[in-house]
Amino acid sequence: MNKYLQSALWVVLCVVIFSLIFPTTQASTGWQRTYQGGSMDVLTPRSIVQTTDGGYAMAVFGYIRLENAGGFSSSYELQVLKTDLNGVEQWKRSYPTVEDPNNLSPEINTYADQYVIVQTEDQGYVISGSGGPFWLFKVNSQGTVVWSRTYQCDYITSSSDYHLYSMIQTSDGGFALAGSVYTYDGGSDFWIVKTNSLGLAQWNRTFNSGSYTDQIGETYPCSDEAHCVIQTSDGGYALVGSNSLYRASTSSIVYASWVVKTDTQGNQLWNRGFDLINDQGYRRFIVQSDGGYGIAGTQNSDFCLFKITATGQLQWSNTYGEEHADTPCGLVQLEDNGYAIAGTWTPINTTITRPTMGLIRTDSAGQVLWIKTFNAEEMVTVTVYSYDLANDMIQTSDGSYAIVGSTTFGSETHQDVFFVKTETLEQPPQPTSLPTPLASEDNPSYSPDQTSQASSSPTQSSPTQ
């Protein structure tokens, strides 16, 4: 054999052997897409899930506006949008109302503050909301309704007194829904509902952090709203949200963070309050590898992230930004115990002056490693940017991130769905300017356990403090 051919074959053989011993992984490629409805429709995606086929499904709030002979008409609807792994739309279904095909539940009005979507083992989807009482409905893999359910609190009669913010699929195949219900005395309580896999209610609990006294000595019930629920390793649940309290240093009412931990049946084990996230921006909550919890929210218009132990003791807190009304929408913990926080973000020291999508990567102590922003209509040459709001973020199976929100550009009369799939970002991207973490509040931690006894509503078992 020709010696040159022998050399070539030997090189090829070595490359093959090397590739078998040291396989390479191609980095994920990022992309972004927008999805428009009618020329005057306002579309707002509320949540996203990665599906078993590698694609994505979104629950979208639709404010549909139509021009007709008499002027304009409008309506509200829930939309479920399914895409492939590259974000190409596969199907979309609209649900102005949902009627249970089994006639087991009343018709659902799908107008809601928040929608949450999860995929079930049979490739169908379950979506939750609160257009009045909490509701939950199941569709098959093509969006056809299978069943629907509604849930009412024992002592609430007004349909406008419910607000659902979070829903998860539980380890037994059921679902846990969390939010708030208003009370007769003018306050509001955390409310959690646990169902089985068919959406039939198994139990529900309410939790109240007590009351506060203002500067003139008048006492008011706290307003408590559960923004996020997770299931913990012991099979119980943890809820995080906001509660109102009086801050003497500024003579003002603020909304701090309140955490409630329960057992498997929703009975309270402990609760803790933290005067750290003091705006009503939605909290995001995760269980950490050490059994503690990471909590993200908004403090004085900045991103805020803090870490507590498995029993609710504060370990550290950090804030990011410069008072641009920034609001996190997603939080995940990564393999190095650092964090990724996504949300609506106005960059500092840049030409962007409108809200856009932001993604912050931190180390395990919450210190910034890098920040990346995404804008739907960025035109650098003329410095024009769209107005973008981020509503949900998940980490994807390839180590990147999927972020959904809304975008409006210039004088357009419609608001579109904006979907960003990032490249794999475990190696630092080209960073933008980094903010300096701000100091925490003058009262870094308080506990309703100490300042006021957490009270039980009629549907809550007596908590163990």
Side-chain angles (χ1 to χ4, degrees):
M1 182 182 293
N2 184 290
K3 63 179 181 179
Y4 296 106
L5 181 57
Q6 286 181 319
S7 298
L9 289 173
W10 176 249
V11 170
V12 171
L13 181 60
C14 289
V15 170
V16 171
I17 294 173
F18 184 86
S19 65
L20 291 174
I21 299 174
F22 303 102
T24 59
T25 301
Q26 186 175 4
S28 170
T29 301
W31 44 262
Q32 63 186 50
R33 293 186 183 276
T34 58
Y35 309 89
Q36 181 182 340
S39 61
M40 294 186 293
D41 292 349
V42 177
L43 302 180
T44 307
R46 293 298 190 187
S47 64
I48 184 171
V49 62
Q50 188 171 26
T51 54
T52 55
D53 62 1
Y56 303 89
M58 288 173 266
V60 180
F61 169 74
Y63 175 48
I64 310 303
R65 297 183 291 184
L66 299 173
E67 186 175 6
N68 51 47
F72 294 92
S73 63
S74 62
S75 61
Y76 303 98
E77 64 183 31
L78 163 66
Q79 298 178 357
V80 175
L81 174 64
K82 173 68 173 69
T83 80
D84 66 12
L85 75 169
N86 295 311
V88 177
E89 182 177 324
Q90 294 178 307
W91 55 262
K92 180 172 69 174
R93 299 287 182 272
S94 297
Y95 307 90
T97 59
V98 172
E99 186 172 356
D100 183 5
N102 304 304
N103 297 316
L104 295 177
S105 292
E107 185 176 73
I108 293 172
N109 174 3
T110 59
Y111 178 81
D113 304 297
Q114 173 74 334
Y115 303 119
V116 184
I117 185 170
V118 299
Q119 189 175 33
T120 52
E121 289 184 356
D122 60 3
Q123 317 308 312
Y125 303 91
V126 168
I127 306 101
S128 63
S130 58
F134 285 11
W135 50 257
L136 195 70
F137 73 95
K138 168 79 180 293
V139 302
N140 64 18
S141 60
Q142 295 301 309
T144 301
V145 176
V146 177
W147 52 255
S148 66
R149 307 281 186 260
T150 59
Y151 314 95
Q152 291 188 257
C153 187
D154 296 342
Y155 63 92
I156 300 298
T157 57
S158 172
S159 62
S160 63
D161 289 344
Y162 296 85
H163 297 279
L164 181 140
Y165 297 108
S166 180
M167 183 265 286
I168 58 171
Q169 190 165 21
T170 55
S171 58
D172 61 0
F175 305 94
L177 299 80
S180 66
V181 291
Y182 286 98
T183 57
Y184 290 124
D185 58 7
S188 59
D189 295 344
F190 279 21
W191 192 38
I192 178 173
V193 178
K194 171 66 173 68
T195 81
N196 65 13
S197 60
L198 297 177
L200 300 174
Q202 296 175 303
W203 50 260
N204 73 94
R205 303 283 184 267
T206 57
F207 307 97
N208 183 269
S209 63
S211 60
Y212 63 86
T213 303
D214 66 11
Q215 68 272 23
I216 61 175
E218 294 188 359
T219 300
Y220 298 90
C222 289
S223 294
D224 305 322
E225 292 191 342
H227 294 155
C228 189
V229 60
I230 56 176
Q231 189 169 25
T232 52
S233 58
D234 60 2
Y237 300 89
L239 301 97
V240 65
S242 63
N243 74 322
S244 55
L245 67 133
Y246 175 69
R247 182 181 294 154
S249 62
T250 58
S251 300
S252 61
I253 307 302
V254 298
Y255 291 88
S257 291
W258 193 43
V259 178
V260 174
K261 175 68 176 73
T262 80
D263 63 16
T264 58
Q265 296 300 307
N267 300 308
Q268 183 177 219
L269 299 178
W270 54 260
N271 73 85
R272 300 284 186 270
F274 304 92
D275 187 2
L276 283 165
I277 298 179
N278 52 39
D279 293 333
Q280 287 184 290
Y282 293 161
R283 276 76 171 162
R284 291 295 180 265
F285 199 33
I286 54 171
V287 178
Q288 303 202 187
S289 56
D290 61 359
Y293 305 93
I295 303 170
T298 304
Q299 180 181 356
N300 297 332
S301 298
D302 300 321
F303 276 20
C304 179
L305 174 66
F306 69 96
K307 169 73 164 56
I308 63 176
T309 67
T311 56
Q313 306 305 313
L314 179 66
Q315 292 181 291
W316 52 259
S317 67
N318 284 303
T319 54
Y320 319 94
E322 286 190 349
E323 298 186 1
H324 285 304
D326 302 321
T327 304
C329 69
L331 173 67
V332 297
Q333 188 182 29
L334 305 169
E335 290 184 359
D336 64 357
N337 294 321
Y339 304 87
I341 316 165
T344 302
W345 175 266
T346 303
I348 57 178
N349 301 323
T350 72
T351 57
I352 302 177
T353 58
R354 291 185 170 191
T356 191
M357 287 186 176
L359 182 64
I360 300 176
R361 176 71 159 90
T362 80
D363 62 18
S364 59
Q367 300 299 314
V368 172
L369 299 178
W370 49 257
I371 298 173
K372 193 171 178 66
T373 59
F374 310 90
N375 191 267
E377 298 285 351
E378 183 175 348
M379 297 190 296
V380 177
T381 55
V382 292
T383 318
V384 177
Y385 300 89
S386 57
Y387 189 101
D388 300 338
L389 301 175
N391 292 324
D392 196 18
M393 178 270 281
I394 57 173
Q395 189 177 27
T396 58
S397 58
D398 61 6
S400 58
Y401 303 90
I403 312 171
V404 291
S406 59
T407 182
T408 306
F409 185 71
S411 59
E412 291 176 344
T413 58
H414 54 87
Q415 178 176 286
D416 302 335
V417 174
F418 181 31
F419 182 11
V420 171
K421 166 68 165 60
T422 75
E423 68 271 29
T424 300
L425 290 177
E426 289 318 292
Q427 296 299 318
Q430 186 67 33
T432 55
S433 300
L434 301 182
T436 301
L438 305 178
S440 59
E441 285 294 325
D442 54 352
N443 181 17
S445 179
Y446 81 102
S447 173
D449 284 340
Q450 300 170 0
T451 59
S452 64
Q453 181 72 23
S455 62
S456 300
S457 75
T459 60
Q460 176 190 340
S461 299
S462 298
T464 301
Q465 300 290 344

